[in-house]
C-alpha cells in the first residue's frame, strides 16, 4: 500500500454515519491526508495577528506535518512560507517565535527574506575563481514555497492552494457569522499557550467537538454545573458541505430536569468551595454561553463562558497529534475580566477540569479502535443525515465531517 | 542551616504525600490565602499570564481534589516526583523564596515508566500556625508539549 493505493480505497458503507476504523490508523490514508486535506484547497489556521504585532515578528507553526513560518513585513502585511530551505530541505527556523530581519539556514547559510524570497547564497560565484553555482542559477526560482494568506479579523489562515476560495465563501454564511461573533474585529489580547500531545488520530479531535452527545454524558463538570447539558436549549449547525460546524448552547441551572436520570454524570450534591471558578458574565449580544466551532481541517474555536481559545490540530502520524491551545481575551478587557478568563481557563487545556476527560477518552478510543481497522463505528444518533438540529442528541456534525472528508479524499461510497 | 533543613523537609513531605496518593492532604501544605500555578516555561519567560492550573485559595485546591476524585475521567497511573537542588534564593522578614528542580515520572498500566514533566518549583514559604506552608507555589515546566493530561497535582 501507498498513498496512491489509499486513494483507490472505497468507503465500505452506504452512509457517512458508518465510519471504517482504518481512517484512524492506516499510514497510507494518513499520507494521503497530508496531500489532499492539509496541502489541498483548505484554509489552515496558523496563528493570531496579536502574536506577530511588529514588522519582523514571526512564529513557526505547522500545517499538517509541514513546518511553516508566519511573518509580518515592514508594510504590515502577513506572509506564510514553508520552513524548508530550498537547497537541502533543512528546517531553517528553529525557534517558536521572535523578531528577525531575515532567516539564514544554519547548514550552508542560504538566506531568505521575510516573504520567503531567497536573497543570499554564500560562494555563489565561487572562491578564488573556483566552484560556485552555475550561471543559470536564479534566486527567483528558489524561494521558500509561499502559501496564500488571509487575515480575518485578527486570525491568520494559510493555504498551499492559491486557488482556494476566499475564507468567507469557504466557511459559508452561517459559519462565518459564528466565527465573527468572537472575532468581531476588536483587538485581541494574548493570554498564553498550552500544548498537549494526544495519542490518537487527529480526526477524533474534530469529532469530539462535533459531538454534543458525549458532552452531556462524559463531563461531570459541564453537566453538574449546567455549562452544557442535553436538557438545555441548544443547536448543532453545519455549513452546506458538512465540513464545518458549531455546537451552540446556553448555561442552565444546576437542577434536575427531563432526561437527567440518564445522565450518570449529574451530581446533585456537588458544589465548589471557591465558586469564583465559575463566575461567568455575559459578554456577547446573544444569550448563548457556549459556542464550539470546528473549522476544517485544523481549527477549533472555543467560546465556553468567558474562556476563549483557538485549538490548532497538528497531526504527528496516524496515531498521534498535538493540540496547540492559544487563550486570548480582548484588548479592552479590564483587570477583572482578564482574571476571570484566566480562572475559567482551569476548565480547559491539558489539565482542564472538563477537557482532561476528552484527552483521556480519545486515547482510549485510539487504543480500542486501532487493532480493528476492518470494523465500522456507528454514528447514527439523530438519524443518517447532517441537517441542522435544535437539540444535542445527535451526531449529525460528525456525519457531515465524514461526508466532506470522503469527498476530499476521493473515497467512493459502496452501496450508496 | 536549620532553615535549609526545614525547607527540604517541607518539599520532601509535599511530594511524598502526592506520590502516596493522599490527595486530600495536598491543600494542607498551603496557607488559606495562597496561589498555586502550573505554568509553561515559555509563557512564564514571555510574561504571558496563562497557567495550566490556577488556584487562588486553599478552597480552590480542595475543588481540584474533588474534581479528581469525583468528576474527571482518566486512565490509572502512578506518578513519582523527584525534587532536587533546593536553594533559598530570597530571604524576607515574613517569608523565603525557594527554588528547586522537579521531575515527575509517570507509569501507565501498559507502558514502561517515562519522564512526564520536568521543571522547577518557585515557592514562597511562610510560617503559618507554627509550621511551614506554601503561600505561593509556581510549578514552571520545561516540558512544553505535555503527554496528554495533567491529572494529579505537580
Amino acid at each position: 500500500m501507498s498513498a496512491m493505493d489509499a486513494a483507490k480505497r472505497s468507503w465500505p458503507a452506504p452512509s457517512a454515519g458508518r465510519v471504517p476504523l482504518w481512517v484512524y490508523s492506516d499510514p497510507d490514508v494518513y499520507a494521503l491526508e497530508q496531500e489532499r486535506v492539509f496541502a489541498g484547497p483548505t484554509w489552515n489556521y496558523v496563528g493570531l495577528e496579536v502574536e506577530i504585532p511588529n514588522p519582523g515578528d514571526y512564529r513557526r507553526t505547522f500545517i499538517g506535518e509541514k513546518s511553516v513560518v508566519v511573518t509580518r513585513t515592514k508594510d504590515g502585511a502577513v506572509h506564510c512560507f514553508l520552513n524548508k530551505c530550498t537547497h537541502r530541505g533543512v528546517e531553517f527556523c528553529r525557534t517558536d517565535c521572535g523578531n528577525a530581519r531575515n532567516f539564514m539556514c544554519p547548514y550552508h547559510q542560504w538566506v531568505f527574506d521575510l516573504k520567503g524570497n531567497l536573497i543570499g547564497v554564500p560562494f555563489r560565484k565561487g572562491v578564488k575563481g573556483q566552484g560556485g553555482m552555475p550561471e543559470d542559477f536564479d534566486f527567483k526560482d528558489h524561494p521558500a514555497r509561499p502559501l496564500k494568506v488571509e487575515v480575518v479579523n485578527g486570525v491568520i489562515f494559510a493555504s498551499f492552494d492559491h486557488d482556494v476560495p476566499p475564507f468567507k465563501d469557504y466557511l459559508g454564511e452561517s459559519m462565518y457569522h459564528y466565527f465573527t461573533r468572537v472575532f468581531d474585529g476588536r483587538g485581541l489580547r494574548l493570554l498564553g499557550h498550552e500544548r498537549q500531545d494526544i495519542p490518537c488520530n487527529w480526526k477524533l479531535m474534530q469529532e469530539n467537538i462535533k459531538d454534543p452527545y458525549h458532552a452531556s454524558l462524559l463531563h461531570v463538570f459541564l453537566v453538574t454545573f449546567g455549562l452544557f447539558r442535553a436538557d438545555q436549549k441548544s443547536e448543532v449547525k453545519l455549513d452546506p458541505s458538512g465540513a464545518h460546524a458549531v455546537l451552540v448552547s446556553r448555561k442552565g441551572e444546576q437542577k434536575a430536569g427531563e432526561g437527567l436520570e440518564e445522565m450518570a454524570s449529574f451530581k446533585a450534591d456537588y458544589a465548589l468551595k471557591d465558586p469564583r471558578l465559575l463566575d461567568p458574565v455575559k459578554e456577547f449580544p446573544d444569550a448563548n454561553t457556549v459556542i464550539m466551532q470546528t473549522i476544517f481541517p485544523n481549527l477549533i474555536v472555543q467560546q465556553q463562558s468567558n474562556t476563549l481559545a483557538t485549538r490548532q490540530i497538528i497531526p504527528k502520524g496516524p496515531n498521534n497529534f498535538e493540540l496547540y491551545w492559544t487563550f486570548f481575551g480582548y484588548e479592552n478587557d479590564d483587570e477583572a475580566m482578564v482574571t476571570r478568563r484566566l480562572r475559567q481557563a482551569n476548565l480547559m487545556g491539558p489539565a482542564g477540569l472538563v477537557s482532561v476527560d476528552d484527552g483521556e477518552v480519545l486515547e482510549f478510543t485510539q487504543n480500542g479502535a486501532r487493532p480493528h481497522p476492518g470494523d465500522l463505528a456507528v454514528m447514527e444518533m439523530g438519524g443518517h443525515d447532517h441537517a441542522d438540529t435544535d437539540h444535542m442528541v445527535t451526531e449529525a456534525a460528525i456525519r457531515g465531517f465524514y461526508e466532506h472528508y470522503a469527498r476530499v479524499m476521493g473515497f467512493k461510497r459502496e452501496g450508496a | 542551616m536549620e532553615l535549609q533543613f526545614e525547607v527540604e523537609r517541607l518539599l520532601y513531605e509535599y511530594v511524598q504525600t502526592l506520590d502516596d496518593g493522599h490527595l486530600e492532604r495536598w491543600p494542607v501544605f498551603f496557607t488559606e490565602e495562597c496561589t498555586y500555578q502550573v505554568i509553561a516555561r515559555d509563557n512564564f519567560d514571555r510574561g504571558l499570564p496563562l497557567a495550566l492550573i490556577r488556584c487562588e485559595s486553599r478552597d480552590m485546591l480542595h475543588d481540584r481534589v474533588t474534581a479528581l476524585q469525583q468528576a474527571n475521567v482518566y486512565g490509572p497511573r502512578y506518578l513519582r516526583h523527584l525534587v532536587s537542588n533546593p536553594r533559598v534564593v530570597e530571604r524576607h522578614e515574613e517569608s523565603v523564596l525557594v527554588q528547586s528542580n522537579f521531575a515527575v515520572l509517570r507509569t501507565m498500566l501498559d507502558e514502561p515508566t517515562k519522564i512526564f514533566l520536568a521543571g522547577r518549583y518557585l515557592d514562597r514559604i511562610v510560617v503559618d500556625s507554627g509550621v511551614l506552608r506554601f503561600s505561593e507555589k509556581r510549578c514552571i515546566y520545561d516540558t512544553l508539549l505535555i503527554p496528554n493530561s495533567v491529572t494529579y497535582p505537580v
Side-chain angles (χ1 to χ4, degrees):
Chain A
M1 284 285 282
S2 67
M4 290 284 276
D5 297 328
K8 292 179 196 143
R9 271 196 188 268
S10 58
W11 193 264
S15 97
R18 298 281 169 108
V19 177
L21 298 187
W22 48 253
V23 300
Y24 304 119
S25 55
D26 186 312
D28 302 317
V29 170
Y30 177 80
L32 191 67
E33 288 170 350
Q34 296 299 310
E35 294 168 29
R36 297 203 173 165
V37 174
F38 296 102
T42 52
W43 281 114
N44 289 270
Y45 170 86
V46 290
L48 300 175
E49 267 200 296
V50 69
E51 295 174 276
I52 49 165
N54 303 309
D57 284 352
Y58 69 86
R59 72 187 301 262
R60 163 182 167 273
T61 184
F62 295 86
I63 298 179
E65 288 203 337
K66 297 181 176 73
S67 183
V68 298
V69 186
V70 185
T71 62
R72 188 181 293 278
T73 44
K74 263 187 199 155
D75 59 1
V78 176
H79 297 264
C80 180
F81 45 88
L82 267 188
N83 185 10
K84 172 182 149 296
C85 181
T86 39
H87 179 214
R88 299 280 289 276
V90 175
E91 188 189 23
F92 52 78
C93 174
R94 292 291 304 154
T95 43
D96 279 340
C97 60
N99 186 277
R101 286 173 59 194
N102 48 48
F103 297 95
M104 187 172 73
C105 178
Y107 201 1
H108 303 86
Q109 301 176 1
W110 285 31
V111 179
F112 299 88
D113 71 11
L114 291 169
K115 294 180 181 175
N117 298 311
L118 178 63
I119 55 167
V121 172
F123 305 150
R124 181 192 178 189
K125 296 193 183 304
V127 177
K128 292 181 179 172
Q130 291 178 308
M133 294 299 273
E135 279 302 314
D136 62 355
F137 178 81
D138 190 340
F139 281 12
K140 284 200 290 293
D141 298 335
H142 304 278
R145 181 177 165 187
L147 279 76
K148 187 169 177 153
V149 170
E150 189 171 331
V151 179
V152 188
N153 289 348
V155 190
I156 309 167
F157 291 90
S159 182
F160 282 99
D161 186 340
H162 287 255
D163 296 325
V164 66
F167 182 75
K168 192 173 179 177
D169 299 342
Y170 177 78
L171 217 55
E173 204 171 314
S174 139
M175 289 300 113
Y176 191 75
H177 160 76
Y178 287 107
F179 184 79
T180 51
R181 177 187 191 256
V182 58
F183 299 113
D184 58 4
R186 273 184 287 171
L188 301 180
R189 175 174 181 152
L190 179 65
L191 298 178
H193 303 290
E194 293 176 4
R195 296 175 59 190
Q196 184 174 12
D197 186 60
I198 303 183
C200 78
N201 186 270
W202 67 274
K203 294 186 291 300
L204 286 171
M205 190 66 236
Q206 280 276 355
E207 287 180 29
N208 179 258
I209 305 299
K210 290 174 186 287
D211 167 17
Y213 177 36
H214 93 280
S216 52
L217 295 166
L218 172 66
H219 301 302
V220 170
F221 231 80
L222 292 186
V223 176
T224 299
F225 296 110
L227 296 174
F228 194 101
R229 224 165 70 182
D231 55 352
Q232 288 157 210
K233 181 172 166 43
S234 53
E235 292 167 300
V236 177
K237 292 192 170 188
L238 294 88
D239 79 306
S241 77
H244 325 294
V246 285
L247 311 186
V248 182
S249 189
R250 296 175 185 182
K251 187 178 187 305
E253 297 303 309
Q254 185 176 356
K255 64 178 184 194
E258 193 196 346
L260 208 61
E261 64 279 2
E262 285 187 58
M263 294 182 216
S265 301
F266 179 74
K267 295 182 189 295
D269 55 350
Y270 189 16
L272 294 173
K273 290 183 84 146
D274 190 334
R276 287 180 299 173
L277 181 65
L278 293 177
D279 174 31
V281 296
K282 180 175 158 60
E283 62 169 320
F284 293 105
D286 56 48
N288 302 318
T289 58
V290 191
I291 294 186
M292 301 297 289
Q293 184 168 39
T294 40
I295 296 178
F296 192 82
N298 81 334
L299 178 62
I300 294 156
V301 181
Q302 160 199 312
Q303 310 170 49
Q304 165 59 275
S305 303
N306 306 109
T307 170
L308 309 176
T310 57
R311 304 185 196 172
Q312 180 186 357
I313 295 169
I314 304 172
K316 301 264 177 102
N319 300 298
N320 203 219
F321 76 98
E322 173 178 345
L323 194 59
Y324 187 97
W325 305 64
T326 303
F327 288 76
F328 62 89
Y330 298 105
E331 215 168 44
N332 58 359
D333 284 347
D334 60 20
E335 205 181 321
M337 188 53 124
V338 173
T339 303
R340 183 176 291 111
R341 294 195 200 285
L342 293 170
R343 223 176 250 153
Q344 290 181 14
N346 276 303
L347 299 179
M348 299 299 179
L353 295 167
V354 174
S355 55
V356 156
D357 303 342
D358 292 317
E360 292 288 310
V361 162
L362 294 183
E363 182 174 349
F364 306 162
T365 309
Q366 189 74 15
N367 291 345
R370 194 177 50 230
H372 306 283
D375 288 357
L376 297 169
V378 183
M379 308 198 202
E380 295 177 352
M381 196 49 102
H384 298 281
D385 64 4
H386 59 89
D388 290 356
T389 52
D390 57 359
H391 58 79
M392 284 191 200
V393 199
T394 182
E395 290 168 316
I398 303 179
R399 291 190 290 274
F401 175 84
Y402 281 108
E403 282 275 349
H404 184 74
Y405 172 81
R407 206 161 39 231
V408 168
M409 292 289 280
F411 298 148
K412 289 209 173 55
R413 199 177 289 164
E414 292 171 15
Chain B
M1 208 54 225
E2 195 184 338
L3 175 66
Q4 178 74 20
F5 175 78
E6 294 292 331
V7 161
E8 285 180 11
R9 192 162 71 175
L10 176 69
L11 288 168
Y12 296 156
E13 281 183 7
Y14 174 83
V15 295
Q16 194 64 53
T17 300
L18 293 179
D19 294 345
D20 289 346
H22 299 307
L23 283 179
E24 70 291 346
R25 287 187 48 215
W26 175 52
V28 178
F29 286 88
F30 294 82
T31 57
E32 206 169 312
E33 294 294 313
C34 65
T35 60
Y36 171 81
Q37 294 189 24
V38 180
I39 314 168
R41 180 172 177 166
D42 56 352
N43 287 333
F44 184 81
D45 289 347
R46 294 171 64 194
L48 294 171
L50 183 72
L52 206 65
I53 300 175
R54 176 192 173 101
C55 294
E56 298 173 34
S57 64
R58 191 192 276 164
D59 282 343
M60 273 196 201
L61 299 174
H62 277 294
D63 289 335
R64 270 272 162 191
V65 173
T66 309
L68 271 171
Q69 291 173 334
Q70 296 189 33
N72 288 133
V73 173
Y74 49 93
R77 68 202 60 200
Y78 298 125
L79 295 183
R80 194 154 299 280
H81 293 65
L82 310 178
V83 183
S84 74
N85 206 27
R87 288 180 308 122
V88 177
V89 290
E90 279 176 29
R91 284 168 187 262
H92 302 274
E93 209 160 300
E94 306 273 303
S95 69
V96 290
L97 187 67
V98 175
Q99 181 176 297
S100 55
N101 295 330
F102 67 80
V104 184
L105 309 181
R106 188 184 74 168
T107 310
M108 305 297 282
L109 288 186
D110 303 323
E111 289 174 24
T113 301
K114 290 176 184 162
I115 295 173
F116 174 58
L117 282 183
R120 65 187 161 116
Y121 290 130
L122 209 47
D123 298 325
R124 191 161 299 282
I125 297 171
V126 298
V127 178
D128 178 45
S129 311
V131 295
L132 295 190
R133 293 188 213 273
F134 303 112
S135 65
E136 180 180 51
K137 187 171 191 69
R138 285 173 290 176
C139 316
I140 302 156
Y141 61 91
D142 301 340
T143 316
L144 301 180
L145 184 58
I146 289 176
N148 208 349
S149 315
V150 175
T151 51
Y152 297 108
V154 181

